[in-house]
Amino acid sequence: MIMVGLISIPLAYLIGSIPSGLLVVKLITGKDVRDIESGRTGGTNAMRAAGPLAGLFTAILDISKGAAAIWVGQSLFSSPEWVVAINGLLAILGHNYSAFLIEKDADGKLHFRGGAGGATTLGVAIGLWLNSWIVILPIAFLVYLFIGYASITTISIALSTMGIFTVKAINGVMPWVYAFLGAAAVVTVSIALKPNLKRLKEGTERRVQLLARIFHPKNFK
């Protein structure tokens, strides 16, 4: 059974690697989302490239990838819990470092393109516990509204995921390996957002325009 379950691991990575934002933006505008703003393929950059609906569709697809990776392990292959956790992490890694978006840089070195992993992390959490979105989304919304940085909002999703499954593990409801998955998601998302975190430290990271209008209305007269 363990050997059968292990088959789900590469499938989870490939599911996570599907570049939803690239496909959505290409379908709507014909543009390559990698050439716009941050160059990431997640919902935030898809929204910048093709509008709110493109961002929403991308986010839904990315959430679905995370949930599907968990389903593949749990239902299709009846994998052990630790394999299911690996599936979740690999779905996030696949989103951030897509097998379908391998490119060469100026030095000829191969590197992977992708997103930051927030929506896929949410999907993984939903796959493990359906009601997790009731906790994660309100927290993410409040962070987005009052702190005003998309990067911090993305990290908050991973932190909330870690928090949920840590509490459940403490209460004996779910295995600790899911809490460790949450911690790994925090690290993975933070690494993907390293340039944003650097700009935050330097004070040059872009805030949500809504908050800019509220706190600096003179700039929008």
Side-chain angles (χ1 to χ4, degrees), residues 11 18 27 32 54 69 75 81 89 94-95 99 120 140 145 147 155 157 167 198 215 220-221:
L11 287 178
I18 298 171
L27 181 64
D32 190 329
S75 301
E81 292 165 342
L89 179 58
H95 175 77
T120 306
L145 183 62
I147 296 180
I155 292 173
I157 292 172
V167 170
K198 180 182 179 185
F215 294 113
F220 293 91
K221 286 185 177 180

Side-chain angles (χ1 to χ4, degrees), residues 32-53:
D32 190 329
V33 71
R34 293 171 294 179
D35 297 330
I36 298 168
E37 294 285 344
S38 68
R40 295 195 184 103
T41 60
T44 299
N45 209 42
M47 179 177 64
R48 294 176 185 139
L53 280 179

Side-chain angles (χ1 to χ4, degrees), residues 91-171:
I92 300 167
L93 287 170
H95 175 77
N96 291 4
Y97 310 99
S98 173
F100 305 115
L101 299 178
I102 303 174
E103 301 175 356
K104 283 186 177 182
D105 58 22
D107 298 327
K109 295 181 180 179
L110 294 177
H111 68 280
F112 297 78
R113 299 286 292 272
T120 306
T121 298
L122 173 59
V124 167
I126 291 172
L128 294 174
W129 180 49
L130 183 61
N131 292 330
S132 61
W133 67 272
I134 297 174
V135 178
I136 296 171
L137 284 184
I139 292 174
F141 175 76
L142 291 173
V143 170
Y144 191 69
L145 183 62
F146 290 105
I147 296 180
Y149 294 106
S151 54
I152 298 301
T153 303
T154 300
I155 292 173
S156 77
I157 292 172
L159 285 170
S160 297
T161 298
M162 180 179 69
I164 287 171
F165 293 106
T166 297
V167 170
K168 285 187 169 296
I170 291 172
N171 291 328

Side-chain angles (χ1 to χ4, degrees), residues 11-12 15 62-74 87 91 123-124 127:
L11 287 178
I15 290 170
D62 288 342
I63 291 169
S64 299
K65 292 191 306 186
I70 296 299
W71 176 81
V72 164
Q74 287 182 331
N87 282 7
V124 167

Side-chain angles (χ1 to χ4, degrees), residues 1-12 72 77 79 83 87:
M1 185 62 67
I2 291 177
M3 293 303 296
V4 172
L6 291 174
I7 298 173
S8 67
I9 292 176
L11 287 178
V72 164
F77 290 97
S79 304
V83 173
N87 282 7

